[in-house]
Amino acid sequence: SSQNLSEEFAEAARQLKKEAPRIQFGKMDVTHQHDLRKEFNIQAFPTVKFFVNGRREDPIDCKGVRKASAFITWVKRRTGPSTVLINSTDQAEAIIKADDLAVIGFFRELHNDSVEVFCETARDVPEMPFGMTASEDICANYNIQRNSLVVFKKGKPVHHEVLEDSGQNKQGLTRLIKTFTLDLVTEYNIETSVKIFDVPVENHILLFTPTNSETFNEIYENYQSAAAEFRGKILFVLVDTNEARNGRIFEYFRIRDIDVPAVRILNLTSDAKYKMPADEVTMENIKEFCQSYLNGKAKQHLSSEEMPQDWDKMPVKVLVGKNFNSIIF
């Protein structure tokens, strides 16, 4: 909520006042300041912008940061180095084990395009520590080829990305790395909904199923196996249809009891919805659905109520989604 963010923002300001007195924090109610809202293109609340060197023209947007600690890291990485330079295996181990998650870049040299993309990504992911090294010994110790990025979770490598081959841009890497703050499949509830929307992946796939059904374990395993392949491209969400509080989502997707288990893809930007063509929730069917969606081949699903039998009896015809296209166009 706005109130929460405001408190975390104030806490970050208090802590940074001692460490970095040059960085000033301010807050503003722009409810009646229409000129300012227009000038800075403020469309949602709260919005946090960072102005550098007294320049009013192009402030940097601070998105998806909600905790004081992340605000502090975000600001520090914008005003100083964004990653820690690792010179020894002990130092690498300390970073990897200090937190749940850590991202380490293993490079041939510390001045190339891959390093630049890595450092820029670190600026946008303040939730986790970033370190980099060009030491042969450290790369050999972890048996990792140079110019690659590794995500460690609870001290173990869980993802390996070769930076040269993938031609990864900063946004793609940011999206990918931020997904590690969520589980591979995230169950939708009040707590996780905020996190789900904070991760900048605009394609979400949702599995609607009762979690206490006999077939649940098998369906869930299939879903999870497919999830690993599309990490960073499509976010996998599970919606328990037995949970009454999820009712609004069923309505939004027009899911009925007889439809479950059901799989849908939602594009957050266009609000377009897609229905998996196959009925069975197998790993192959899910993968095929995701791939056809990413290739732009999936058909948009326009949920519609049933056509009334007497839709064309009267001079004014009754239109629903199903007959709208054929009658009008």
Side-chain angles (χ1 to χ4, degrees), residues 310-318:
D310 56 357
W311 68 271
D312 64 344
K313 288 258 167 47
M314 306 301 271
V316 176
K317 311 300 178 198
V318 180

Side-chain angles (χ1 to χ4, degrees), residues 65-312:
V65 178
R66 291 176 184 271
K67 292 265 175 279
S69 57
F71 268 123
I72 291 168
T73 306
W74 190 89
V75 169
K76 281 183 173 172
R77 288 183 187 177
R78 292 272 160 198
T79 52
S82 60
T83 61
V84 177
L85 186 56
I86 299 170
N87 295 313
S88 70
T89 307
D90 288 350
Q91 195 187 357
E93 278 299 294
I95 290 175
I96 290 163
K97 290 191 171 146
D99 251 306
D100 253 11
L101 287 159
V103 184
I104 310 286
F106 297 87
F107 297 104
R108 268 189 213 96
E109 45 169 10
L110 290 178
H111 304 285
N112 62 25
D113 295 347
S114 303
V115 173
E116 209 167 298
V117 170
F118 182 78
C119 292
E120 279 182 15
T121 305
R123 286 192 194 113
D124 284 339
V125 191
E127 297 93 333
M128 48 186 103
F130 275 66
M132 64 176 185
T133 185
S135 148
E136 274 183 45
D137 293 349
I138 297 172
C139 293
N141 181 64
Y142 290 100
N143 193 20
I144 285 165
Q145 70 184 89
R146 305 291 195 76
N147 272 25
S148 56
L149 163 161
V150 179
V151 180
F152 290 85
K153 195 166 191 171
K154 293 190 163 52
K156 293 189 169 60
V158 287
H159 184 81
H160 188 264
E161 189 83 11
V162 179
L163 292 172
E164 283 173 326
D165 298 357
S166 62
Q168 275 281 23
N169 60 7
K170 183 189 74 136
Q171 279 153 322
L173 271 183
T174 303
R175 275 201 304 271
L176 174 72
I177 292 168
K178 280 215 177 206
T179 61
F180 287 93
T181 60
L182 295 171
D183 295 328
L184 194 52
V185 172
T186 306
E187 184 169 350
Y188 184 92
N189 58 40
I190 303 300
E191 290 79 50
T192 61
S193 63
V194 173
K195 287 182 179 176
I196 288 169
F197 290 110
D198 272 351
V199 173
V201 177
E202 65 168 1
N203 307 310
H204 290 188
I205 187 169
L206 301 97
L207 166 63
F208 294 88
T209 184
T211 53
N212 64 354
S213 76
E214 286 173 21
T215 53
F216 173 72
N217 284 349
E218 189 191 336
I219 287 172
Y220 184 74
E221 257 173 51
N222 292 340
Y223 194 58
Q224 208 171 17
S225 306
E229 208 167 299
F230 295 97
R231 190 151 215 166
K233 296 185 184 87
I234 302 177
L235 207 59
F236 278 61
V237 179
L238 168 70
V239 182
D240 182 3
T241 53
N242 276 345
E243 174 54 73
R245 283 176 296 191
N246 290 338
R248 279 170 59 194
I249 310 175
F250 313 149
E251 273 171 42
Y252 179 68
F253 283 93
R254 297 269 176 99
I255 302 277
R256 300 160 304 173
D257 285 347
I258 57 164
D259 296 328
V260 299
V263 179
R264 300 282 187 274
I265 284 179
L266 170 69
N267 180 294
L268 296 189
T269 309
S270 66
D271 215 31
K273 304 175 192 71
Y274 302 81
K275 177 184 178 181
M276 185 165 78
D279 286 334
E280 269 193 281
V281 185
T282 63
M283 191 169 89
E284 287 74 27
N285 287 344
I286 299 162
K287 282 186 178 178
E288 204 172 303
F289 179 38
C290 291
Q291 204 50 64
S292 73
Y293 168 75
L294 291 174
N295 295 344
K297 301 252 170 70
K299 266 209 187 91
Q300 205 170 321
H301 178 58
L302 304 163
S303 40
S304 169
E305 58 212 275
E306 290 308 314
M307 273 159 59
Q309 286 185 322
D310 56 357
W311 68 271
D312 64 344

